[in-house]
Amino acid sequence: MSHLSELSYVHPSPTSPWGTYLSQVDRVVPYLGKLARWTETLKRPKRALIVDVPIEMDNGTIAHYEGYRVQHNLSRGPGKGGVRFHPEVTLEEVMALSAWMTVKCAAVNLPYGGAKGGIRVDPKKLSRNELEKVTRRYTSEIGLIIGPHSDIPAPDVNTNGQIMAWMMDTYSMNVGATATGVVTGKPIHLGGSLGRVKATGRGVFVTGREAARRMGLKLEGARVAVQGFGNVGSVAAELFAEAGAKVVAVQDHTGTLVNENGFDMKALIAFSQKEGGIAGFKDGEKVDNDAFWGVKCDILIPAALEGQITAARARQLTAKLVLEGANGPTVPEADDILAQRGVLVVPDVICNAGGVTVSYFEWVQDFSSFFWTEDEINQRLDRIMVGAFDHIWAKGEEHKIPLRTATYAVACERILIAREERGLYP
């Protein structure tokens, strides 16, 4: 790649989020046929906004936080993607997350492009009042480019329904009318959708169930290890346990627990929600964090942050099936090692697409002001995820390529056909 075609404002490494994404795009080019001439489109975000978020703290001082909103590609529809509040968020990370959203929406054939947002802040260090101020100021600053028909934020790491309510209210106040469709993942009373909170974890379970069936892995009695026990990891773990699997290892930011007989998921989830983490849960043995990667299991669910499965950890894993609940948890070198070892990886861009799928349902319901039951939502989610997974599996078989490359082949073809059909304006 010539130096001139690289972006001047980020400096990715091979294992950093944007570097990982670029290598994933390079791998799909041979399967794009004549659409390959548009590949460079995938390597450049359409729009990246960096904003200053100043607020007055409770003690009277003024604090400034750095905020971002990146719209990677809008060829197939308005931008869609979460907002994360984390002290380590960077422009490069948000770019990669927005690009993965582009691929994800296309993989499940939703009429969206990809976007993502973030603020460099540790929300645990803010009072509720300060958190509200940060959220509202950030929303006002990115208000230039978001909207129900242009870009629709949603919850991500350290954000939730309350933050979405503040974002929706701020945007509505600025435009002078209630605009419920500007964000998804809202509380039910404000136009939120039933089933949205558990949707991402449910999607991980559905794709995992389909993959396990195809590789002849019985869920009954299967050993599952889960990294990250937030919204995604805990819901996926609970659904696998309900299907008869045993969750034998769990890791979150507070530590790692192992239970050879399988955890009582309801008890562990209740404890974790009450205490803010799994540390101190009595019914499990505390082990060193690094030991997590060597725990004997059939299914591994990385559902924390990106870059967790390194080359070294990929060699340690005992799982036959990896379900990427998080975005970008596997670095490219680790992907190759897992492929050589015959480990099936269901990639993030299909595995965790349940969240954006139910976000889409929420957005549609907001426009029609007509709401579906939770059963209807779960059935529709199941149908879309299974259909998308079938299509991707067939593409993988056809070209004898890993599921990640197959997902990119399906998604990037849809994105670039849209780009080509729309043409370049002006």
Side-chain angles (χ1 to χ4, degrees):
M1 197 168 160
S2 79
H3 182 63
L4 283 178
S5 66
E6 289 170 13
L7 299 167
S8 66
Y9 51 87
V10 282
H11 304 285
S13 73
T15 58
S16 70
W18 187 249
T20 296
Y21 166 74
L22 291 177
S23 83
Q24 290 166 349
V25 170
D26 286 337
R27 289 175 186 212
V28 79
V29 175
Y31 308 99
L32 292 176
K34 63 178 180 42
L35 290 168
R37 78 187 192 99
W38 292 95
T39 309
E40 197 64 31
T41 304
L42 300 168
K43 296 183 174 184
R44 297 161 175 269
K46 177 181 175 64
R47 189 178 285 132
L49 180 64
I50 304 172
V51 296
D52 177 36
V53 185
I55 65 158
E56 185 177 346
M57 303 295 275
D58 293 345
N59 65 7
T61 60
I62 306 296
H64 290 259
Y65 300 98
E66 202 173 306
Y68 314 100
R69 186 71 185 174
V70 176
Q71 294 167 350
H72 173 257
N73 186 289
L74 305 179
S75 294
R76 301 181 72 252
K80 187 83 194 80
V83 174
R84 62 175 52 181
F85 289 2
H86 197 281
E88 304 297 317
V89 166
T90 62
L91 174 62
E92 187 201 325
E93 180 187 36
V94 175
M95 279 167 56
L97 291 163
S98 73
W100 284 323
M101 283 303 301
T102 301
V103 176
K104 193 180 300 180
C105 292
V108 284
N109 215 4
L110 301 178
Y112 287 139
K116 205 76 180 190
I119 306 178
R120 285 177 71 85
V121 62
D122 184 351
K124 295 180 188 71
K125 293 187 173 158
L126 300 183
S127 69
R128 183 181 162 90
N129 179 44
E130 290 164 342
L131 185 62
E132 181 175 350
K133 285 181 176 176
V134 163
T135 304
R136 289 184 180 276
R137 182 64 191 231
Y138 169 74
T139 307
S140 284
E141 295 293 346
I142 64 166
L144 302 164
I145 64 170
I146 63 169
H149 298 286
S150 49
D151 180 4
I152 306 113
D156 194 71
V157 176
N158 291 332
T159 56
N160 55 22
Q162 177 59 71
I163 301 244
M164 293 306 112
W166 289 330
M167 288 189 76
M168 189 272 278
D169 182 67
T170 306
Y171 180 86
S172 297
M173 290 296 142
N174 287 341
V175 298
T178 298
T180 52
V182 67
V183 292
T184 57
K186 300 180 294 296
I188 299 298
H189 297 291
L190 293 176
S193 176
L194 296 168
R196 171 64 187 88
V197 172
K198 290 191 167 182
T200 311
R202 185 176 291 281
V204 172
F205 171 72
V206 170
T207 52
R209 179 192 71 202
E210 296 301 303
R213 188 168 56 78
R214 285 180 163 79
M215 54 192 286
L217 173 63
K218 282 194 166 53
L219 290 188
E220 186 73 46
R223 295 165 61 91
V224 180
V226 183
Q227 188 209 23
F229 207 61
N231 179 14
V232 181
S234 64
V235 170
E238 186 177 25
L239 291 169
F240 274 104
E242 280 172 17
K246 288 195 302 189
V247 180
V248 294
V250 177
Q251 180 179 90
D252 74 356
H253 64 284
T254 64
T256 305
L257 294 177
V258 175
N259 181 333
E260 282 299 318
N261 302 316
F263 288 99
D264 172 345
M265 288 318 301
K266 290 209 168 12
L268 181 57
I269 288 169
F271 178 89
S272 165
Q273 286 172 345
K274 181 166 170 278
E275 304 294 331
I278 60 170
F281 185 67
K282 293 288 179 279
D283 192 19
E285 180 199 349
K286 186 166 173 34
V287 299
D288 187 61
N289 279 344
D290 281 342
F292 172 82
W293 302 99
V295 169
K296 188 171 170 301
C297 64
D298 302 299
I299 300 172
L300 171 72
I301 306 174
L305 292 169
E306 53 271 5
Q308 294 300 300
I309 303 181
T310 56
R313 287 170 176 174
R315 292 189 185 93
Q316 263 183 290
L317 294 185
T318 60
K320 305 178 187 72
L321 177 61
V322 174
L323 306 174
E324 294 189 338
N327 291 308
T330 311
V331 304
E333 194 189 347
D335 244 348
D336 295 338
I337 292 165
L338 293 173
Q340 285 156 12
R341 295 188 53 208
V343 178
L344 181 66
V345 179
V346 180
D348 49 4
V349 281
I350 177 68
C351 191
N352 67 33
V356 71
T357 303
V358 177
S359 272
Y360 168 60
F361 297 165
E362 179 177 330
W363 184 70
V364 168
Q365 292 170 93
D366 285 340
F367 278 125
S368 59
S369 300
F370 180 80
F371 290 84
W372 310 333
T373 65
E374 189 155 2
D375 274 353
E376 284 175 309
I377 283 174
N378 289 341
Q379 281 168 4
R380 286 172 194 225
L381 172 63
D382 207 290
R383 200 160 59 233
I384 286 179
M385 295 292 287
V386 170
F389 189 82
D390 284 348
H391 190 57
I392 287 160
W393 187 274
K395 180 72 94 174
E397 297 276 279
E398 179 195 341
H399 293 294
K400 301 281 179 282
I401 49 178
L403 279 184
R404 187 182 319 276
T405 309
T407 309
Y408 272 70
V410 168
C412 293
E413 186 177 312
R414 286 175 178 156
I415 298 158
L416 298 181
I417 284 174
R419 172 74 282 171
E420 185 163 74
E421 286 175 339
R422 288 180 66 155
L424 293 174
Y425 171 86

